[in-house]
Amino acid sequence: MRVTALTGLLCLEGLAFQVVHADGLPNLYGIGGIGHSRASIDDPRIISGLKASGFGVNGINNSQGDTAYNLFLGYRFNHYFALEGGYFNLGEFGYNASTNPAGTLSGNAKFSGLALDAVGLWPITPRMTLLGFIGGQYTRTQDSFSSTGGVHTIPTANNNGGGYNFGLGAQYKINDWVSLRADAKRYRVNDAVGNLGDIDVYSVSLVFPFGRESQPQPPEPKPVVMTPEPVASTPAPTPIMAAPVVVAPAPKPTRVTFLADSFFGFDQSKLMPEGKEQLDQFAQKLKGAQYSDISVTGYSDRIGAHHYNMLLSKRRAEAVKKYLVDVDGIDAAKITAMGKDGEDPATKPDQCVGNKITKQLIACLQPDRRVVVEVTGLQNP
């Protein structure tokens, strides 16, 4: 019996122990998956072997699909790379051939083993991640054969050996405790009777992080105080023949800084009640005032992946803008929103040292996680 190549792979995020990344998930995680496996039986080879022994073949029935499952452990090194390893079972496949003179030949093969995969990660949103797999495996193949009539065969054939696998997938973070993964993999295996072939597996898995450190609690939000910077008055020039033209310096933008941790939950972009209250106070200060425009900038700290932090900072800035427009009635045309990753830190260079992500470092960098609102051309009534 030979297992041969089948269809192409299906393209469909969560990875995550005690060391915490900027997204708040730990590194060590478990995976449990189940799916459908499929292989092809090499019927021409079976027929050829029977004919060589003097038998004709009346027909062959094949069992080419089965249930596959796996139990893996994973370790995430950063936002873009992880290792996963554990046990897999690809299922059982077989055939039953009827011969002339009267007889039968049946064969079954079971495939299981251990695998270690390198996993490439590409976060496309704070919750969705694309996955790529490539790895090696140690596969145990167990063949069993039976026959009737004049057909004779060996009863069993086993093989233990190496192979490789590759695949694609996607993972969606449902909440802090579980993610849903869908993937497609191709396993290269030995069928124990001298042939190499492929088994394709399409599976759905649940991903469970092991442990989650509590995040430092943000301080009580301070009341918003917005005071425009004073503009120095210019003394009137002494008249000579005609009064010279005096151009007063343009007023600097009025800046208000809000701590992101008091606006949003860790790794979230949904405004909390404390943040909404502060924005209401800010908008109240603008009632009746004249201004040209408002810019909202979300800042992240320096830890974490650049692509991920940019997405999260932009989503937070957009959430602030949406609230000011929808709830506080500010003209949307006057507000712009943008995100920045670790730029213009509020902390000093020697204040939060080190790159190992710990609770202490996350707490120290809290001032860098902020939302800055600048009002240009503000003139109070």
Side-chain angles (χ1 to χ4, degrees):
M1 182 179 69
R2 183 184 180 189
V3 182
T4 58
L6 281 179
T7 58
L9 296 177
L10 180 67
C11 179
L12 265 172
E13 165 193 247
L15 301 172
F17 179 75
Q18 299 292 331
V19 179
V20 177
H21 282 295
D23 59 6
L25 287 179
N27 296 81
L28 189 64
Y29 56 96
I31 307 168
I34 189 169
H36 179 74
S37 58
R38 187 163 180 82
S40 288
I41 309 301
D42 192 357
D43 290 346
R45 182 171 177 267
I46 298 170
I47 295 172
S48 176
L50 288 169
K51 286 183 176 180
S53 299
F55 293 92
V57 178
N58 297 326
I60 297 181
N61 295 320
N62 293 327
S63 174
Q64 302 182 110
D66 201 5
T67 299
Y69 59 91
N70 64 79
L71 293 172
F72 276 34
L73 284 177
Y75 189 87
R76 175 184 182 180
F77 292 88
N78 52 49
H79 283 279
Y80 300 103
F81 179 73
L83 285 177
E84 297 179 356
Y87 174 79
F88 64 86
N89 190 307
L90 304 181
E92 180 177 358
F93 312 93
Y95 67 89
N96 184 30
S98 60
T99 66
N100 182 21
T104 62
L105 174 64
S106 300
N108 288 280
K110 300 177 182 179
F111 300 89
S112 62
L114 302 174
L116 180 63
D117 300 340
V119 185
L121 315 171
W122 182 251
I124 56 175
T125 73
R127 292 184 179 272
M128 177 67 74
T129 300
L130 299 181
L131 310 173
F133 308 91
I134 185 167
Q137 81 246 1
Y138 178 81
T139 306
R140 175 171 174 78
T141 305
Q142 298 173 286
D143 286 358
S144 61
F145 302 95
S146 62
S147 61
T148 63
V151 182
H152 299 283
T153 184
I154 59 174
T156 61
N158 298 324
N159 179 77
N160 298 321
Y164 62 88
N165 69 82
F166 58 91
L168 296 172
Q171 185 163 292
Y172 181 77
K173 174 184 172 184
I174 299 174
N175 52 44
D176 291 342
W177 308 110
V178 63
S179 296
L180 180 65
R181 173 186 295 187
D183 59 56
K185 288 185 178 180
R186 170 164 289 179
Y187 289 81
R188 186 69 167 174
V189 297
N190 187 315
D191 69 356
V193 289
N195 300 283
L196 293 176
D198 301 315
I199 297 179
D200 293 337
V201 179
Y202 309 91
S203 58
V204 176
S205 308
L206 293 178
V207 182
F208 301 94
F210 293 150
R212 178 181 176 90
E213 291 194 359
S214 59
Q215 303 300 329
Q217 295 298 318
E220 291 295 327
K222 298 179 180 180
V224 178
V225 179
M226 187 176 72
T227 305
E229 297 184 11
V231 179
S233 59
T234 304
T238 304
I240 304 178
M241 294 297 294
V245 177
V246 178
V247 179
K252 296 181 179 180
T254 299
R255 171 179 290 198
V256 181
T257 300
F258 303 97
L259 287 177
D261 289 2
S262 66
F263 266 38
F264 309 98
F266 197 83
D267 191 35
Q268 302 294 321
S269 58
K270 182 179 179 181
L271 276 168
M272 297 191 300
E274 297 89 342
K276 295 178 180 179
E277 182 179 349
Q278 292 188 50
L279 289 177
D280 290 338
Q281 295 178 35
F282 168 79
Q284 188 62 35
K285 296 286 186 179
L286 296 180
K287 295 289 186 181
Q290 295 183 356
Y291 53 89
S292 55
D293 56 72
I294 300 173
S295 66
V296 181
T297 307
Y299 290 85
S300 69
D301 56 30
R302 57 179 170 82
I303 57 179
H306 171 74
H307 176 74
Y308 183 89
N309 287 345
M310 286 294 292
L311 285 172
L312 182 59
S313 298
K314 178 65 181 299
R315 286 162 62 93
R316 287 178 168 180
E318 292 286 357
V320 171
K321 173 183 175 180
K322 179 176 175 60
Y323 186 85
L324 291 174
V325 172
D326 295 347
V327 178
D328 292 319
I330 296 178
D331 186 0
K334 289 190 173 185
I335 307 181
T336 59
M338 69 182 71
K340 294 187 177 182
D341 173 24
E343 299 180 36
D344 304 323
T347 57
K348 297 179 180 179
D350 58 348
Q351 187 175 349
C352 304
V353 296
N355 294 315
K356 185 177 181 181
I357 304 172
T358 62
K359 289 191 297 184
Q360 291 76 17
L361 181 61
I362 292 175
C364 182
L365 293 174
Q366 185 188 59
D368 294 347
R369 301 188 295 272
R370 64 197 192 277
V371 176
V372 176
V373 182
E374 288 189 343
V375 184
T376 303
L378 177 64
Q379 297 180 15
N380 287 320

